[in-house]
Amino acid sequence: MSKSGTTLETLTNESFVKDALRKAGLDASKHMIAVTSETSPLAKSSDYLAAFFMDDYIGGRFSSCSAVGGAILSLAFGADVFARFLDGAGEEDKLATVKDIRKNPAMLDALIGVYERNILGYDCTAVLPYSQALSRFPAHLQQADMESNGKSVNRFGEPVDYKTGPVIFGEPGTNGQHSFYQLLHQGTDIIPLQFIGFKNSQIGTDVDIQGSTSQQKLCANVAAQIVAFACGKDDENNNKKFEGNRPSSIIIGKQLTPEAMGALLSHFENKIMFQGFLWNVNSFDQEGVQLGKVLAKKVLAHETDGALKVYSDLLDI
């Protein structure tokens, strides 16, 4: 899967797969498909069983509802699940067109984020889903958000004199509580928090342990953390004192279904888009990622000088 058909990492991974298929006595062209843009060199290649296309004018990070998600999610979970995912995303997209901000959660979330970034001056946002199934969702949002709005010029190429996209990070549930929450509670930086929680277990069944289910325990942790961050705790021992006043928001769903996953993804994509509009940046290019690709090709071609040559020599390339 490569929009351009020239991404070095993707082509390298492709070679690994082709090699494995060949060693297994299989014809790779009968077992591989391409997901790319219609203008890429992969589009009409005989190396693939079929090619599926995504729009060439939008980044792959916004393409989960295109052939990118269609191919992978349909193969992994079935076409019906992917259709439900699209239904959820579509319903949330409709909400993003509502002019009343109180009925447009993505726009409201975007404005809160801009207020935290530009008025309060907070540099980071932590995304904290209390669902193990969303363990990689914060990492996805890192790309979606930071690759989109990590810009220091506006859409006309003029330098901006204000802050744009924040640093995004996160981990699921109680994992984060036992690691970086310490800094969130008592560190010198205030970091806005975005919690995601579900009332019911994703798998529909649960285990009762000491009078409450595991899902109830998970939800209790969400509620406790939000109040702890907001209210803090006074104590004569400063080591045990929490200042509180840590801002947070929460998205609550009944259950993590395919529809809910689609809606959740759409919410954050629209939030990113709205923030890009407010910061007047182009959220749909990613010029910053290109420089490293170009220099890596120079290293491999031994076309290096200066610092690039020094580091290439150190790494024995």
Side-chain angles (χ1 to χ4, degrees):
M1 180 186 303
S2 172
K3 186 176 70 172
S4 66
T6 60
T7 304
L8 186 61
E9 300 95 320
T10 304
L11 296 178
T12 302
N13 289 334
E14 176 196 38
S15 296
F16 276 116
V17 174
K18 284 183 175 178
D19 185 60
L21 290 172
R22 186 165 49 251
K23 288 177 178 176
L26 300 172
D27 181 351
S29 66
K30 296 180 180 179
H31 293 272
M32 295 180 68
I33 62 172
V35 180
T36 186
S37 68
E38 288 191 75
T39 58
S40 89
L42 307 181
K44 296 180 173 62
S45 173
S46 59
D47 289 345
Y48 308 102
L49 185 65
F52 301 92
F53 304 121
M54 53 177 156
D55 293 326
D56 59 5
Y57 55 83
I58 192 168
R61 61 191 177 280
F62 289 109
S63 298
S64 296
C65 292
S66 72
V68 176
I72 296 175
L73 296 177
S74 294
L75 285 171
F77 302 108
D80 290 343
V81 169
F82 181 58
R84 292 171 61 190
F85 172 80
L86 291 180
D87 288 342
E91 288 302 311
E92 194 69 21
D93 279 345
K94 291 177 185 176
L95 289 179
T97 67
V98 177
K99 293 181 179 180
D100 184 348
I101 190 173
R102 294 167 297 182
K103 298 177 182 178
N104 187 329
M107 186 182 293
L108 180 60
D109 199 358
L111 286 172
I112 291 171
V114 170
Y115 174 74
E116 291 170 338
R117 186 76 173 107
N118 298 100
I119 305 302
L120 300 180
Y122 301 146
D123 296 327
C124 303
T125 298
V127 179
L128 310 169
Y130 276 65
S131 168
Q132 190 59 34
L134 294 177
S135 62
R136 298 300 292 162
F137 191 58
H140 173 78
L141 293 182
Q142 282 181 339
Q143 181 190 10
D145 198 311
M146 295 167 71
E147 194 168 80
S148 297
N149 291 336
K151 310 290 172 58
S152 57
V153 297
N154 64 24
R155 59 195 177 93
F156 303 113
E158 302 162 340
V160 299
D161 58 358
Y162 48 83
K163 301 290 187 181
T164 58
V167 172
I168 304 294
F169 71 96
E171 274 288 321
T174 55
N175 289 355
Q177 289 179 204
H178 296 290
S179 56
F180 59 81
Y181 275 36
Q182 172 60 42
L183 184 147
L184 301 182
H185 276 294
Q186 292 183 302
T188 53
D189 290 305
I190 294 179
I191 297 174
L193 318 163
Q194 288 203 288
F195 290 92
I196 302 170
F198 299 94
K199 297 178 181 178
N200 300 313
S201 170
Q202 176 194 352
I203 59 177
T205 58
D206 209 341
V207 178
D208 190 289
I209 306 167
Q210 297 178 346
S212 59
T213 66
S214 59
Q215 187 67 22
Q216 287 172 328
K217 289 179 172 63
L218 200 61
C219 291
N221 273 278
V222 179
Q225 289 295 329
I226 290 175
V227 173
F229 279 119
C231 301
K233 187 190 79 165
D234 195 17
D235 199 292
E236 291 181 359
N237 183 343
N238 282 335
N239 289 322
K240 298 181 180 181
K241 184 176 181 179
F242 295 77
E243 293 294 339
N245 200 30
R246 266 56 175 173
S248 68
S249 62
I250 185 170
I251 296 174
I252 300 174
K254 290 183 179 179
Q255 189 177 32
L256 183 55
T257 61
E259 292 88 350
M261 187 67 248
L264 195 61
L265 183 66
S266 169
H267 170 88
F268 280 99
E269 288 182 345
N270 283 300
K271 172 192 174 181
I272 292 164
M273 176 189 70
F274 286 134
Q275 288 185 329
F277 291 162
L278 289 166
W279 286 318
N280 196 28
V281 298
N282 182 356
S283 300
F284 306 105
D285 69 2
Q286 57 281 337
E287 294 300 329
V289 307
Q290 303 303 325
L291 178 58
K293 293 181 180 180
V294 172
L295 293 180
K297 289 181 179 179
K298 286 187 175 182
V299 171
L300 292 171
H302 301 290
E303 299 171 355
T304 60
D305 55 21
L308 193 58
K309 183 179 188 315
V310 173
Y311 282 112
S312 298
D313 291 344
L314 282 172
L315 293 165
D316 196 24
I317 301 172

